[in-house]
Amino acid sequence: MMDFDLLNEEQKKPVLDTEGAVLLIAGAGSGKTRVLTARIAYLIEEKGVSPSEILAITFTNKAAKEMRERLEGLADMRESWVCTIHSMCVKILRMFAEKRGISPDFSIYSEQERNAVIKQAMAELGYDAEEGLLKSVRYGISEAKMLGLSPAEYARRAGGDRDAVIRVYEAYNARLKRYNALDFDDLLTEARALLNEDAEAREFLAGRFRYIHVDEFQDTNAVQFDIIKLLASEHGNLFVVGDDDQSIYGWRGAKIENILHFERSFPHAKLYKLQRNYRSTGNILALANASISHNSYRKGKELWTEAPAGDKPVFFEANEESGEALYCARILSDLRAGGYRFSDFAVLMRINALTRAYEQEFTKYGIPYKVFGGFRFYERKEIKDVLAYLRVIANPFDGEAVRRIINVPRRGIGEKTLSVLETYAEAEDLSLYDAVLDCESLKLAPAAKAKLKEFGSYIRELVVLSQETPVGDLVRHLVISSGMYEQYSDNSEESVSKRANLDEFQNSVDEYVRLNEGATLSDYLQQITLYSDTDEMDEGDYVTLATIHAVKGLEFRCVFLVGLEENIIPTSRALDDPHSLEEERRLMYVAITRAREKLYLTRSMSRYLYGRREDTVRSRFVEELRGSLELPSPEPRRSSYGSGYGGYGGYGNNYGSSYGGYGRRYGRPERTQTEERKDFPTFGAGRPPVRFGNVGTAPAPAPRRDTSGFDVGVRVRHARFGEGTIVAVRGEARNLIVTVDFPTVGKKELAAALAPLERLE
């Protein structure tokens, strides 16, 4: 039973307003999930609405899972749909597949499979997949699909200078149809086409879902909004929740106009706002309000809280990126001594290329971390190979998957054989797998035919086995019988890592099967393909290193917002586009509002990025906060940008040079310059980029370490780097810096008070 008295007055109004169109502008941390859940509970408990008549569309799998868990305590929600819009479209298309000329067991292609098929289409047309053309083709197809345009429609809009893109687009679509596959954008466009063109399907779905709820509405694109309007066409009961100030996906087609101009589509819509924040301290909210106030294209609101003002946000400038990362490590260590856990911290950045310095420094000091917004678990080669086997078992028409695994592990089927196979399949209008089964008709040597026969028989056995074997057991059999595990049998570091990844994959399958009784192979593949970065986040005790996009909707006790430099945030692409510049500022706002208690904003005055080191200039978004942050005098700006990253090279300022060459911190007036100079010693610039694993697993450093006895010549053991010898020291006590020569990784400079070092007798 929902206790509606827990809602504040702002929250109660949209909960009770159940009929017609409603727009709720919900500020960061204002309790929108509680409102959504309470509204659905109110419909069920007070209005007598059946759960089967409720549709709730969320932005991420994580959000859908959390909402479903909250609601399951109130009612039997098995008949309601609480899911992402892509998951919803998959359900709709599997229900009405024949009406769109596809088979219900269609494959769903991720970005990697999509790129592979685009390259195949280019080769088919005789185009060389050189990077410039490939990038142009990928962008054009993506743009066309986000806009919901067919090749012919895109040709009319694009004009004659896009002939190559349009030809490849047509060939790409033809291959998808042959493979019985849809890419992410197709899920949306095919669902919209179904609802537009088939009155029976539209009336059935619109009639079933009498109450539609949409979360994160500011991130919908034009096609998604069309789908939502079509589903609401029978009754008009549409409740959308969002925050125009958190619209950060314009680069992938999201239209902020959907939320700003909602009343144009629904003239009688009611508007409510949630402005009370339950997450952050007053000082953090003041900074967020000050930042977003510089945007003009917005509905307008001001976050407030009854929470204490809390600590003021702190701005810090380092001379270079390792100093910036070490600053974060020191603050983190101090707060850990006061009771914070590693999981209370997030280091947020505009681009994931900045993670290197943090991975390097955190590894040195035994700080466990995970990286999000970069290379994901399910994108690793060995995992993609297993998934390709499973895709073929579920959908033998999937030619891209057949092509991927036909020689994995190696079975002597080369590119020449594959080329003959593909030519035959196309000439006979067969799937690639059917061509394998028909290999006796191919003009190939007997040995090549024998290998194809063996492969075809093996896949056929797996297809039969899948009909009677649980998904977890099927995967276990596949990994062993295919030779996938055996091909990584040596004890090299790479093979050990790949075997561990295959084991982890098996664990993930078993966990899915345990939680989803009766789930089919297609069900499992669907949830993997629709997987997102945040699904990997768990309750583990580690620091989150992430792009700002990856943590939208999350919160942390302490946030480090790093890399606040021109051409990073805002990105150089936004400098000549007012709308893109406002989206970059919204990213800044999203990052600030992830922090609950403490916020540190940092930058480096020079940075090694994209293969070279260059001077940088403080982000204009920081300069806009002058008055809300303690900042030094403005940096001089050049009238024009230089080439490549950096742009402002040679501006000649060197803030922080009087601080021991390390950097300068602002917002802590109680600390003297002498204290700053002691605490942050010089570190060398221009270190080569070194990357470690995604998870630092060394023991946590002691918050207050006795640094006596760390002298030149002393042997030490590091939790990650092994044994080494101290070859140089400088500083003293808590600020002692030791240079250790490790046979395995070379010399490392370490802050003795932080590093997990043990003196050896």
Side-chain angles (χ1 to χ4, degrees), residues 661-690:
Y662 182 87
R664 176 177 285 185
R665 173 166 54 178
Y666 304 95
R668 292 285 185 88
E670 72 278 6
R671 295 176 63 84
T672 67
Q673 292 186 9
T674 303
E675 288 172 324
E676 294 284 1
R677 187 160 51 246
K678 282 182 178 179
D679 271 5
F680 300 102
T682 305
F683 270 67
R687 290 177 175 168
V690 179

Coordinates of all heavy atoms in Angstrom, one line a residue, residues 661-690:
G661 N 55.2 24.0 -8.4 CA 55.0 23.4 -9.7 C 53.9 22.4 -9.8 O 53.8 21.7 -10.8
Y662 N 53.1 22.3 -8.8 CA 52.0 21.3 -8.8 C 50.7 21.8 -9.3 O 50.1 21.3 -10.2 CB 51.9 20.6 -7.5 CG 50.9 19.5 -7.4 CD1 51.3 18.2 -7.8 CD2 49.6 19.8 -7.1 CE1 50.3 17.2 -7.8 CE2 48.6 18.8 -7.2 CZ 49.0 17.5 -7.5 OH 48.1 16.5 -7.5
G663 N 50.3 22.9 -8.7 CA 49.0 23.4 -9.0 C 48.5 24.3 -7.9 O 49.2 24.6 -6.9
R664 N 47.2 24.8 -8.0 CA 46.6 25.7 -7.1 C 45.2 25.3 -6.8 O 44.5 25.0 -7.7 CB 46.7 27.1 -7.6 CG 46.1 28.2 -6.7 CD 46.2 29.5 -7.3 NE 47.6 30.0 -7.1 CZ 47.9 31.3 -7.5 NH1 47.1 32.1 -8.0 NH2 49.2 31.7 -7.2
R665 N 44.8 25.4 -5.5 CA 43.5 25.0 -5.1 C 42.8 26.3 -4.7 O 43.3 27.2 -4.0 CB 43.5 24.0 -4.0 CG 42.1 23.7 -3.4 CD 42.1 22.5 -2.6 NE 43.1 22.5 -1.5 CZ 43.2 21.5 -0.6 NH1 42.4 20.4 -0.7 NH2 44.1 21.5 0.3
Y666 N 41.5 26.4 -5.0 CA 40.7 27.6 -4.7 C 39.4 27.1 -3.9 O 38.9 26.1 -4.2 CB 40.3 28.4 -5.9 CG 41.5 28.8 -6.7 CD1 41.9 28.0 -7.8 CD2 42.2 29.9 -6.4 CE1 43.0 28.3 -8.5 CE2 43.3 30.2 -7.1 CZ 43.7 29.4 -8.2 OH 44.9 29.8 -8.9
G667 N 39.0 27.9 -3.0 CA 37.8 27.6 -2.2 C 38.1 27.0 -0.8 O 37.2 26.6 -0.1
R668 N 39.4 27.0 -0.4 CA 39.8 26.6 0.9 C 40.6 27.7 1.6 O 41.8 27.5 1.8 CB 40.6 25.3 0.9 CG 39.8 24.1 0.4 CD 38.8 23.6 1.5 NE 38.1 22.4 1.2 CZ 38.6 21.2 1.3 NH1 39.8 21.0 1.9 NH2 37.9 20.1 1.0
P669 N 40.1 28.8 1.9 CA 40.9 29.9 2.4 C 41.6 29.7 3.7 O 42.6 30.3 4.0 CB 39.8 31.1 2.6 CG 38.5 30.3 2.8 CD 38.6 29.1 1.9
E670 N 41.2 28.6 4.5 CA 41.8 28.4 5.7 C 43.2 27.8 5.6 O 44.0 27.7 6.5 CB 41.0 27.5 6.6 CG 40.9 26.0 6.2 CD 39.9 25.8 5.1 OE1 39.4 26.8 4.6 OE2 39.7 24.6 4.7
R671 N 43.5 27.3 4.4 CA 44.8 26.7 4.1 C 45.8 27.7 3.6 O 45.5 28.5 2.7 CB 44.7 25.5 3.1 CG 43.9 24.4 3.6 CD 43.7 23.3 2.6 NE 45.0 22.7 2.2 CZ 45.5 21.7 2.8 NH1 45.0 21.2 3.9 NH2 46.7 21.2 2.4
T672 N 47.0 27.7 4.1 CA 48.0 28.7 3.7 C 48.7 28.2 2.4 O 48.7 27.0 2.1 CB 49.1 28.9 4.8 OG1 49.8 27.7 4.9 CG2 48.4 29.3 6.1
Q673 N 49.4 29.1 1.8 CA 50.2 28.8 0.6 C 51.3 27.8 1.0 O 51.6 26.8 0.2 CB 50.8 30.0 0.0 CG 49.8 30.9 -0.6 CD 50.4 32.1 -1.4 OE1 51.6 32.1 -1.6 NE2 49.6 33.0 -1.8
T674 N 51.9 27.9 2.2 CA 52.9 27.0 2.6 C 52.4 25.6 2.7 O 53.0 24.6 2.3 CB 53.5 27.4 3.9 OG1 54.0 28.8 3.8 CG2 54.6 26.5 4.4
E675 N 51.1 25.5 3.3 CA 50.5 24.2 3.4 C 50.3 23.5 2.1 O 50.5 22.4 1.8 CB 49.2 24.3 4.2 CG 49.4 24.6 5.7 CD 48.1 24.9 6.4 OE1 47.2 25.5 5.8 OE2 48.0 24.4 7.5
E676 N 49.8 24.4 1.1 CA 49.5 23.9 -0.2 C 50.8 23.3 -0.8 O 50.8 22.3 -1.4 CB 48.9 25.0 -1.1 CG 47.6 25.5 -0.7 CD 46.5 24.5 -1.1 OE1 46.8 23.4 -1.7 OE2 45.3 24.8 -0.8
R677 N 51.9 24.1 -0.7 CA 53.1 23.7 -1.3 C 53.6 22.4 -0.7 O 54.2 21.6 -1.4 CB 54.1 24.9 -1.2 CG 55.4 24.7 -1.9 CD 56.2 25.9 -2.1 NE 56.4 26.7 -0.9 CZ 55.8 27.9 -0.7 NH1 55.0 28.4 -1.6 NH2 56.0 28.5 0.5
K678 N 53.5 22.2 0.6 CA 53.9 21.0 1.2 C 53.1 19.8 0.7 O 53.6 18.7 0.5 CB 53.8 21.1 2.7 CG 54.9 21.9 3.4 CD 54.6 21.8 4.9 CE 55.7 22.6 5.7 NZ 55.4 22.5 7.1
D679 N 51.8 20.0 0.6 CA 50.9 18.9 0.4 C 50.9 18.3 -1.1 O 50.6 17.2 -1.3 CB 49.4 19.2 0.7 CG 49.1 18.9 2.1 OD1 50.0 18.5 2.9 OD2 47.9 19.1 2.5
F680 N 51.3 19.2 -2.0 CA 51.2 18.8 -3.4 C 52.6 19.0 -4.1 O 52.8 20.0 -4.7 CB 50.1 19.6 -4.1 CG 48.8 19.3 -3.5 CD1 48.2 20.2 -2.6 CD2 48.2 18.1 -3.6 CE1 47.0 19.9 -2.0 CE2 47.0 17.8 -3.0 CZ 46.4 18.7 -2.2
P681 N 53.5 18.0 -4.0 CA 54.8 18.1 -4.6 C 54.8 18.0 -6.1 O 53.8 17.6 -6.7 CB 55.5 17.0 -4.0 CG 54.5 16.0 -3.7 CD 53.3 16.8 -3.3
T682 N 55.9 18.4 -6.7 CA 56.0 18.4 -8.2 C 56.0 17.0 -8.7 O 56.6 16.1 -8.1 CB 57.3 19.1 -8.6 OG1 57.4 20.4 -8.1 CG2 57.4 19.1 -10.1
F683 N 55.2 16.7 -9.8 CA 55.3 15.5 -10.5 C 55.7 15.7 -11.9 O 55.3 16.7 -12.5 CB 53.9 14.7 -10.4 CG 53.8 13.8 -9.2 CD1 53.8 14.4 -8.0 CD2 53.8 12.5 -9.4 CE1 53.6 13.5 -6.9 CE2 53.6 11.6 -8.3 CZ 53.6 12.2 -7.0
G684 N 56.4 14.8 -12.5 CA 56.9 15.1 -13.9 C 55.8 15.1 -14.9 O 54.9 14.3 -14.9
A685 N 56.0 16.0 -15.9 CA 55.0 16.1 -17.0 C 55.4 15.2 -18.1 O 56.5 14.7 -18.2 CB 54.9 17.6 -17.5
G686 N 54.4 14.9 -18.9 CA 54.7 14.2 -20.2 C 54.9 12.7 -20.0 O 55.6 12.1 -20.9
R687 N 54.4 12.1 -19.0 CA 54.5 10.6 -18.9 C 53.8 10.0 -20.1 O 52.8 10.4 -20.5 CB 53.9 10.1 -17.6 CG 54.7 10.6 -16.4 CD 54.0 10.1 -15.2 NE 54.8 10.4 -14.0 CZ 54.3 10.3 -12.7 NH1 53.0 9.9 -12.6 NH2 55.0 10.6 -11.7
P688 N 54.4 8.9 -20.6 CA 53.7 8.2 -21.7 C 52.4 7.6 -21.2 O 52.3 7.2 -20.0 CB 54.7 7.0 -22.0 CG 55.5 6.8 -20.8 CD 55.6 8.2 -20.2
P689 N 51.4 7.5 -22.1 CA 50.1 6.9 -21.6 C 50.2 5.4 -21.3 O 50.6 4.6 -22.1 CB 49.2 7.1 -22.9 CG 50.1 7.3 -24.0 CD 51.4 7.8 -23.5
V690 N 49.9 5.1 -20.0 CA 50.0 3.7 -19.6 C 48.6 3.4 -19.0 O 48.0 4.1 -18.3 CB 51.0 3.6 -18.4 CG1 51.0 2.1 -17.9 CG2 52.4 4.0 -18.9

